[in-house]
């Protein structure tokens, strides 16, 4: 675990993270996550789709957003992100 930021930055491909819960904590976590070299936010799940969208936008990911309502559709949307 020591020197984790340096090890993440050395990766050829970032660690892809999905976030469950777009409340205050989740939103702030997403914002910080996008500042870490070697990690990127690929999905946000919340009971309120608008709140999930706002969290994703606030993090500054910049990728197109796909709203889905099944696990299979989420897998397809995330895999298309590669």
């Amino acid at each position: 675990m020591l020197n984790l930021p340096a090890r993440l930055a050395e990766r050829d491909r970032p660690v892809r993270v999905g976030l469950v819960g777009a409340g205050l904590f989740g939103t702030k976590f997403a914002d910080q996550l996008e500042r870490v070299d070697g990690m990127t936010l690929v999905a946000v799940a919340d009971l309120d789709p608008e709140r999930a969208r706002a969290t994703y936008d606030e993090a500054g990911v910049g990728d197109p957003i796909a709203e889905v309502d099944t696990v299979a559709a989420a897998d397809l949307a995330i895999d298309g992100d590669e």
Side-chain angles (χ1 to χ4, degrees):
M1 209 54 134
L2 201 56
N3 209 8
L4 184 59
R7 294 187 67 195
L8 284 170
E10 292 172 355
R11 292 177 51 94
D12 291 334
R13 187 171 158 210
V15 173
R16 300 167 73 209
V17 178
L19 175 66
V20 177
L24 180 63
F25 181 79
T27 299
K28 297 307 174 194
F29 178 78
D31 185 47
Q32 291 301 308
L33 178 70
E34 279 303 303
R35 298 170 192 262
V36 176
D37 288 335
M39 296 182 89
T40 191
L41 183 65
V42 296
V44 177
D46 195 89
L47 293 174
D48 180 349
E50 287 305 314
R51 189 163 60 180
R53 178 184 291 278
T55 294
Y56 196 76
D57 287 340
E58 186 175 317
V61 178
D63 289 339
I65 295 174
E67 283 190 34
V68 299
D69 56 8
T70 67
V71 173
D75 286 342
L76 287 173
I78 291 168
D79 287 343
D81 187 46
E82 291 186 297

